[in-house]
Amino acid sequence: MTSAARRADFLMALAYATDLATGHSRDFALRSCVLSMRFADLLNLDDSIRRDVYHQALLRYIGCNADSHLLAAAFGDEIALRRDLQRIDISNKSELAETIVRAITRTFADAPPAELAQAVERGLAEAMQVSVPILSGHCEVAKRIAERIGLSKETQENLGQLYERWDGRGLPRGLSGGAVKLPVRIVTLAQDAIALNEAHGFETMRAMISKRGDGAYEAELANLFVAHAESLLSGLDDPVDRETILSIEPHPHAVLDEEACEEAYIAIADMIDMRMPFTFGHSRAVSALADAAGKRLALPASDIREVRWAAYTHDIGELAVPVSTWMRRGAFTERETDAAKLHPYHGERALASLGREGTAIAALVLRHHERLDGSGYHRNARAPDLAPAARILAAAEAFQTAREARPHRPALSDAAAASKLRSAVREGKLCAEAVEAVLASAGQPGRRDDAERMSGLTSREIEVLRLIAAGHTAKEAARRLEIAPKTADNHIQNLYSKIGVTTRAAAALYALERGLIQQGSSAG
Ligand SMILES: [Fe+2]
């Protein structure tokens, strides 16, 4: 049996994930989609623009998960920072400075006063220096992901205008007036209205939108919005269901065949894994192992497809926990541990939009950290509740994670990771058959050698690309390659122009797309 799904279902899963990663409220992107479409109706826009509005609202932040570790390193809890940024006018320097100081103070709350003062000074000095390249990277990544799920050139261009404003004081390029595309202007206004309404209440939101006329927004649009704000926002305090979002998609409704579904799942995998160098390529690798193990154990084809797709998305709920927490070398607090252990729950919720087949995939995602003896999380499920596909996913995830480095430990060798899994079998936690199938699959020659041959890059270029994807700066790359920093810089620039990107994040995504990430050692 083949599989087909509405593309909008995938967009909703991506929207749910980006809401988590950017600190937005529940169903923020979905509610903003309804609001933006109502506004588009009020403006009497034709179907082609309405389609762009629909995509912009659901996917505006789709690239914003890239390089979250850089934001986290500069400002601490990046999810809380993003939540605060939604409520201010980021062109207002004093509001921006206040928000950054609050973020840094939150992170360094326990540090001695002198260290806190230094961190604040550094954060303020670096704010623009850090933010502009990161935002440019977000835009490029968003465009590439949109292309991979088959969205139009127009949608890709709109996604590249992430924080552009009517008055030219936006980012990343400082476009102004009509150069900022109409769908971007509509969705920016609608999303600000929802965030401001939540933070300050209806009347203050109206006053703030009105005051920003000819600033952040075109005055004509702002005035029209304010005049109809009550009816436009009516009922949007509550969550929005899947059927509503499916019903407002402009015709013709996009449907993905099985191959396109596979691509969409891979796009979600890459989006999840781009948040920090430690996880680059993780979900693709788990998926390849689970698929091969499923075949070895002769599971039905539909089960193999489900476990492969569940593996692509298994950590989607991890986006609810700040990268600043995942990146820390020290132990988690009790509260952080609880939040981290809830990620399978968020994952199940994120995939709820995927319809009938999505239910089976979500059920696997929910169980990916469960163990046969009930010692896993978050529901402490036991053997009878863990079908073969769930056992394979758990084994593939455990093996892959063990051979990847994490901030608090180095990567294990394949042999050491295998013995760790066999111990877990002996302790009654993992299924022996599933573990042996995964381990046997890991012993097969990978696709990487083929990928290297096919990429058209020299081995030196691939080496440079891998270092960049692993988050190394030009200076660090130079040290590892034992060449002068200037030469490393030239290598990087030549590589960028050869593969047609201008940012680190887009280069990293390129490496993932072509299977050039070295599993288990990417974080060095
Ligand atoms: Fe996980």
Side-chain angles (χ1 to χ4, degrees), residues 91-115:
S91 74
N92 180 324
K93 287 208 170 72
S94 70
E95 278 184 39
L96 185 60
E98 201 181 302
T99 307
I100 289 170
V101 170
R102 194 177 324 129
I104 295 169
T105 312
R106 198 162 37 216
T107 310
F108 290 86
D110 299 329
E115 203 181 307

PDB file of all heavy atoms in Angstrom, residues 91-115:
ATOM      1  N   SER A  91      13.470  47.474  16.434  1.00  0.00           N
ATOM      2  CA  SER A  91      14.245  48.603  15.892  1.00  0.00           C
ATOM      3  C   SER A  91      14.493  49.648  16.988  1.00  0.00           C
ATOM      4  O   SER A  91      15.253  50.584  16.801  1.00  0.00           O
ATOM      5  CB  SER A  91      13.501  49.244  14.719  1.00  0.00           C
ATOM      6  OG  SER A  91      12.405  49.995  15.200  1.00  0.00           O
ATOM      7  N   ASN A  92      13.803  49.493  18.130  1.00  0.00           N
ATOM      8  CA  ASN A  92      13.991  50.425  19.241  1.00  0.00           C
ATOM      9  C   ASN A  92      15.187  49.954  20.089  1.00  0.00           C
ATOM     10  O   ASN A  92      15.122  48.955  20.800  1.00  0.00           O
ATOM     11  CB  ASN A  92      12.709  50.453  20.090  1.00  0.00           C
ATOM     12  CG  ASN A  92      12.812  51.397  21.254  1.00  0.00           C
ATOM     13  OD1 ASN A  92      13.858  51.554  21.860  1.00  0.00           O
ATOM     14  ND2 ASN A  92      11.694  52.036  21.572  1.00  0.00           N
ATOM     15  N   LYS A  93      16.293  50.722  19.952  1.00  0.00           N
ATOM     16  CA  LYS A  93      17.560  50.257  20.545  1.00  0.00           C
ATOM     17  C   LYS A  93      17.475  50.047  22.057  1.00  0.00           C
ATOM     18  O   LYS A  93      18.045  49.096  22.588  1.00  0.00           O
ATOM     19  CB  LYS A  93      18.680  51.251  20.219  1.00  0.00           C
ATOM     20  CG  LYS A  93      19.117  51.180  18.761  1.00  0.00           C
ATOM     21  CD  LYS A  93      20.575  51.613  18.631  1.00  0.00           C
ATOM     22  CE  LYS A  93      21.139  51.338  17.256  1.00  0.00           C
ATOM     23  NZ  LYS A  93      20.639  52.220  16.204  1.00  0.00           N
ATOM     24  N   SER A  94      16.742  50.955  22.762  1.00  0.00           N
ATOM     25  CA  SER A  94      16.747  50.800  24.221  1.00  0.00           C
ATOM     26  C   SER A  94      15.905  49.584  24.628  1.00  0.00           C
ATOM     27  O   SER A  94      16.264  48.837  25.534  1.00  0.00           O
ATOM     28  CB  SER A  94      16.299  52.077  24.927  1.00  0.00           C
ATOM     29  OG  SER A  94      14.930  52.279  24.719  1.00  0.00           O
ATOM     30  N   GLU A  95      14.787  49.347  23.923  1.00  0.00           N
ATOM     31  CA  GLU A  95      13.982  48.142  24.229  1.00  0.00           C
ATOM     32  C   GLU A  95      14.797  46.870  23.960  1.00  0.00           C
ATOM     33  O   GLU A  95      14.753  45.904  24.709  1.00  0.00           O
ATOM     34  CB  GLU A  95      12.713  48.099  23.363  1.00  0.00           C
ATOM     35  CG  GLU A  95      11.572  48.948  23.902  1.00  0.00           C
ATOM     36  CD  GLU A  95      10.293  48.788  23.061  1.00  0.00           C
ATOM     37  OE1 GLU A  95       9.999  47.668  22.627  1.00  0.00           O
ATOM     38  OE2 GLU A  95       9.617  49.804  22.847  1.00  0.00           O
ATOM     39  N   LEU A  96      15.541  46.918  22.845  1.00  0.00           N
ATOM     40  CA  LEU A  96      16.337  45.745  22.460  1.00  0.00           C
ATOM     41  C   LEU A  96      17.428  45.482  23.510  1.00  0.00           C
ATOM     42  O   LEU A  96      17.618  44.343  23.960  1.00  0.00           O
ATOM     43  CB  LEU A  96      16.957  45.980  21.077  1.00  0.00           C
ATOM     44  CG  LEU A  96      17.726  44.809  20.473  1.00  0.00           C
ATOM     45  CD1 LEU A  96      16.830  43.597  20.287  1.00  0.00           C
ATOM     46  CD2 LEU A  96      18.334  45.195  19.117  1.00  0.00           C
ATOM     47  N   ALA A  97      18.110  46.569  23.909  1.00  0.00           N
ATOM     48  CA  ALA A  97      19.188  46.420  24.894  1.00  0.00           C
ATOM     49  C   ALA A  97      18.629  45.864  26.209  1.00  0.00           C
ATOM     50  O   ALA A  97      19.208  44.952  26.814  1.00  0.00           O
ATOM     51  CB  ALA A  97      19.869  47.762  25.135  1.00  0.00           C
ATOM     52  N   GLU A  98      17.468  46.380  26.605  1.00  0.00           N
ATOM     53  CA  GLU A  98      16.852  45.920  27.850  1.00  0.00           C
ATOM     54  C   GLU A  98      16.553  44.413  27.778  1.00  0.00           C
ATOM     55  O   GLU A  98      16.778  43.664  28.736  1.00  0.00           O
ATOM     56  CB  GLU A  98      15.546  46.701  28.031  1.00  0.00           C
ATOM     57  CG  GLU A  98      15.010  46.752  29.433  1.00  0.00           C
ATOM     58  CD  GLU A  98      13.693  47.534  29.433  1.00  0.00           C
ATOM     59  OE1 GLU A  98      13.689  48.723  29.013  1.00  0.00           O
ATOM     60  OE2 GLU A  98      12.682  46.935  29.794  1.00  0.00           O
ATOM     61  N   THR A  99      16.048  43.986  26.630  1.00  0.00           N
ATOM     62  CA  THR A  99      15.700  42.564  26.456  1.00  0.00           C
ATOM     63  C   THR A  99      16.944  41.686  26.510  1.00  0.00           C
ATOM     64  O   THR A  99      16.933  40.604  27.113  1.00  0.00           O
ATOM     65  CB  THR A  99      14.972  42.371  25.100  1.00  0.00           C
ATOM     66  OG1 THR A  99      13.896  43.291  25.062  1.00  0.00           O
ATOM     67  CG2 THR A  99      14.454  40.971  24.940  1.00  0.00           C
ATOM     68  N   ILE A 100      18.010  42.155  25.874  1.00  0.00           N
ATOM     69  CA  ILE A 100      19.253  41.371  25.863  1.00  0.00           C
ATOM     70  C   ILE A 100      19.844  41.291  27.274  1.00  0.00           C
ATOM     71  O   ILE A 100      20.272  40.228  27.726  1.00  0.00           O
ATOM     72  CB  ILE A 100      20.265  41.979  24.871  1.00  0.00           C
ATOM     73  CG1 ILE A 100      19.751  41.719  23.449  1.00  0.00           C
ATOM     74  CG2 ILE A 100      21.656  41.398  25.051  1.00  0.00           C
ATOM     75  CD1 ILE A 100      20.496  42.454  22.380  1.00  0.00           C
ATOM     76  N   VAL A 101      19.815  42.415  27.978  1.00  0.00           N
ATOM     77  CA  VAL A 101      20.345  42.425  29.347  1.00  0.00           C
ATOM     78  C   VAL A 101      19.541  41.443  30.214  1.00  0.00           C
ATOM     79  O   VAL A 101      20.099  40.667  30.992  1.00  0.00           O
ATOM     80  CB  VAL A 101      20.295  43.855  29.950  1.00  0.00           C
ATOM     81  CG1 VAL A 101      20.606  43.809  31.441  1.00  0.00           C
ATOM     82  CG2 VAL A 101      21.277  44.760  29.226  1.00  0.00           C
ATOM     83  N   ARG A 102      18.205  41.439  30.025  1.00  0.00           N
ATOM     84  CA  ARG A 102      17.359  40.534  30.808  1.00  0.00           C
ATOM     85  C   ARG A 102      17.749  39.075  30.524  1.00  0.00           C
ATOM     86  O   ARG A 102      17.858  38.252  31.435  1.00  0.00           O
ATOM     87  CB  ARG A 102      15.883  40.770  30.476  1.00  0.00           C
ATOM     88  CG  ARG A 102      14.963  40.102  31.492  1.00  0.00           C
ATOM     89  CD  ARG A 102      13.491  40.364  31.230  1.00  0.00           C
ATOM     90  NE  ARG A 102      13.216  41.686  30.729  1.00  0.00           N
ATOM     91  CZ  ARG A 102      12.489  41.954  29.634  1.00  0.00           C
ATOM     92  NH1 ARG A 102      11.983  40.968  28.935  1.00  0.00           N
ATOM     93  NH2 ARG A 102      12.263  43.191  29.254  1.00  0.00           N
ATOM     94  N   ALA A 103      17.986  38.770  29.236  1.00  0.00           N
ATOM     95  CA  ALA A 103      18.334  37.389  28.861  1.00  0.00           C
ATOM     96  C   ALA A 103      19.648  36.977  29.510  1.00  0.00           C
ATOM     97  O   ALA A 103      19.763  35.873  30.064  1.00  0.00           O
ATOM     98  CB  ALA A 103      18.445  37.283  27.339  1.00  0.00           C
ATOM     99  N   ILE A 104      20.628  37.862  29.444  1.00  0.00           N
ATOM    100  CA  ILE A 104      21.948  37.514  29.984  1.00  0.00           C
ATOM    101  C   ILE A 104      21.883  37.406  31.517  1.00  0.00           C
ATOM    102  O   ILE A 104      22.462  36.506  32.118  1.00  0.00           O
ATOM    103  CB  ILE A 104      22.998  38.553  29.535  1.00  0.00           C
ATOM    104  CG1 ILE A 104      23.137  38.465  28.008  1.00  0.00           C
ATOM    105  CG2 ILE A 104      24.342  38.309  30.204  1.00  0.00           C
ATOM    106  CD1 ILE A 104      23.915  39.572  27.392  1.00  0.00           C
ATOM    107  N   THR A 105      21.139  38.315  32.135  1.00  0.00           N
ATOM    108  CA  THR A 105      21.008  38.274  33.593  1.00  0.00           C
ATOM    109  C   THR A 105      20.372  36.963  34.030  1.00  0.00           C
ATOM    110  O   THR A 105      20.756  36.348  35.026  1.00  0.00           O
ATOM    111  CB  THR A 105      20.142  39.461  34.076  1.00  0.00           C
ATOM    112  OG1 THR A 105      20.630  40.646  33.454  1.00  0.00           O
ATOM    113  CG2 THR A 105      20.205  39.626  35.571  1.00  0.00           C
ATOM    114  N   ARG A 106      19.374  36.509  33.236  1.00  0.00           N
ATOM    115  CA  ARG A 106      18.696  35.249  33.546  1.00  0.00           C
ATOM    116  C   ARG A 106      19.710  34.103  33.555  1.00  0.00           C
ATOM    117  O   ARG A 106      19.713  33.257  34.431  1.00  0.00           O
ATOM    118  CB  ARG A 106      17.643  35.019  32.453  1.00  0.00           C
ATOM    119  CG  ARG A 106      16.574  34.038  32.757  1.00  0.00           C
ATOM    120  CD  ARG A 106      15.373  34.194  31.833  1.00  0.00           C
ATOM    121  NE  ARG A 106      15.726  34.552  30.458  1.00  0.00           N
ATOM    122  CZ  ARG A 106      15.002  35.364  29.688  1.00  0.00           C
ATOM    123  NH1 ARG A 106      13.888  35.896  30.128  1.00  0.00           N
ATOM    124  NH2 ARG A 106      15.382  35.641  28.451  1.00  0.00           N
ATOM    125  N   THR A 107      20.603  34.119  32.551  1.00  0.00           N
ATOM    126  CA  THR A 107      21.560  33.016  32.404  1.00  0.00           C
ATOM    127  C   THR A 107      22.658  33.065  33.445  1.00  0.00           C
ATOM    128  O   THR A 107      23.097  32.034  33.935  1.00  0.00           O
ATOM    129  CB  THR A 107      22.218  33.095  31.014  1.00  0.00           C
ATOM    130  OG1 THR A 107      21.168  33.217  30.072  1.00  0.00           O
ATOM    131  CG2 THR A 107      23.030  31.871  30.703  1.00  0.00           C
ATOM    132  N   PHE A 108      23.120  34.286  33.765  1.00  0.00           N
ATOM    133  CA  PHE A 108      24.260  34.402  34.681  1.00  0.00           C
ATOM    134  C   PHE A 108      23.800  34.796  36.087  1.00  0.00           C
ATOM    135  O   PHE A 108      24.556  35.375  36.841  1.00  0.00           O
ATOM    136  CB  PHE A 108      25.264  35.429  34.137  1.00  0.00           C
ATOM    137  CG  PHE A 108      25.976  34.952  32.908  1.00  0.00           C
ATOM    138  CD1 PHE A 108      25.412  35.129  31.645  1.00  0.00           C
ATOM    139  CD2 PHE A 108      27.199  34.289  32.994  1.00  0.00           C
ATOM    140  CE1 PHE A 108      26.056  34.678  30.500  1.00  0.00           C
ATOM    141  CE2 PHE A 108      27.843  33.837  31.849  1.00  0.00           C
ATOM    142  CZ  PHE A 108      27.274  34.028  30.604  1.00  0.00           C
ATOM    143  N   ALA A 109      22.553  34.472  36.407  1.00  0.00           N
ATOM    144  CA  ALA A 109      21.964  34.912  37.682  1.00  0.00           C
ATOM    145  C   ALA A 109      22.838  34.520  38.880  1.00  0.00           C
ATOM    146  O   ALA A 109      22.942  35.279  39.838  1.00  0.00           O
ATOM    147  CB  ALA A 109      20.569  34.326  37.838  1.00  0.00           C
ATOM    148  N   ASP A 110      23.479  33.338  38.797  1.00  0.00           N
ATOM    149  CA  ASP A 110      24.247  32.869  39.951  1.00  0.00           C
ATOM    150  C   ASP A 110      25.717  33.274  39.894  1.00  0.00           C
ATOM    151  O   ASP A 110      26.498  32.921  40.776  1.00  0.00           O
ATOM    152  CB  ASP A 110      24.157  31.329  40.049  1.00  0.00           C
ATOM    153  CG  ASP A 110      22.711  30.897  40.236  1.00  0.00           C
ATOM    154  OD1 ASP A 110      21.953  31.672  40.853  1.00  0.00           O
ATOM    155  OD2 ASP A 110      22.340  29.807  39.746  1.00  0.00           O
ATOM    156  N   ALA A 111      26.108  33.997  38.834  1.00  0.00           N
ATOM    157  CA  ALA A 111      27.528  34.339  38.686  1.00  0.00           C
ATOM    158  C   ALA A 111      27.881  35.531  39.580  1.00  0.00           C
ATOM    159  O   ALA A 111      27.005  36.318  39.938  1.00  0.00           O
ATOM    160  CB  ALA A 111      27.813  34.680  37.229  1.00  0.00           C
ATOM    161  N   PRO A 112      29.176  35.668  39.934  1.00  0.00           N
ATOM    162  CA  PRO A 112      29.587  36.844  40.715  1.00  0.00           C
ATOM    163  C   PRO A 112      29.304  38.123  39.916  1.00  0.00           C
ATOM    164  O   PRO A 112      29.329  38.083  38.676  1.00  0.00           O
ATOM    165  CB  PRO A 112      31.099  36.643  40.887  1.00  0.00           C
ATOM    166  CG  PRO A 112      31.387  35.256  40.454  1.00  0.00           C
ATOM    167  CD  PRO A 112      30.271  34.770  39.606  1.00  0.00           C
ATOM    168  N   PRO A 113      29.032  39.260  40.617  1.00  0.00           N
ATOM    169  CA  PRO A 113      28.637  40.493  39.926  1.00  0.00           C
ATOM    170  C   PRO A 113      29.598  40.902  38.805  1.00  0.00           C
ATOM    171  O   PRO A 113      29.156  41.338  37.740  1.00  0.00           O
ATOM    172  CB  PRO A 113      28.614  41.540  41.044  1.00  0.00           C
ATOM    173  CG  PRO A 113      28.485  40.766  42.306  1.00  0.00           C
ATOM    174  CD  PRO A 113      29.041  39.408  42.075  1.00  0.00           C
ATOM    175  N   ALA A 114      30.904  40.745  39.027  1.00  0.00           N
ATOM    176  CA  ALA A 114      31.870  41.186  38.010  1.00  0.00           C
ATOM    177  C   ALA A 114      31.704  40.373  36.729  1.00  0.00           C
ATOM    178  O   ALA A 114      31.747  40.906  35.616  1.00  0.00           O
ATOM    179  CB  ALA A 114      33.286  41.048  38.544  1.00  0.00           C
ATOM    180  N   GLU A 115      31.475  39.073  36.900  1.00  0.00           N
ATOM    181  CA  GLU A 115      31.315  38.195  35.728  1.00  0.00           C
ATOM    182  C   GLU A 115      30.021  38.526  34.976  1.00  0.00           C
ATOM    183  O   GLU A 115      29.978  38.554  33.746  1.00  0.00           O
ATOM    184  CB  GLU A 115      31.292  36.740  36.208  1.00  0.00           C
ATOM    185  CG  GLU A 115      31.673  35.749  35.127  1.00  0.00           C
ATOM    186  CD  GLU A 115      31.610  34.318  35.653  1.00  0.00           C
ATOM    187  OE1 GLU A 115      32.247  34.050  36.700  1.00  0.00           O
ATOM    188  OE2 GLU A 115      30.906  33.504  35.044  1.00  0.00           O
TER     189      GLU A 115
END
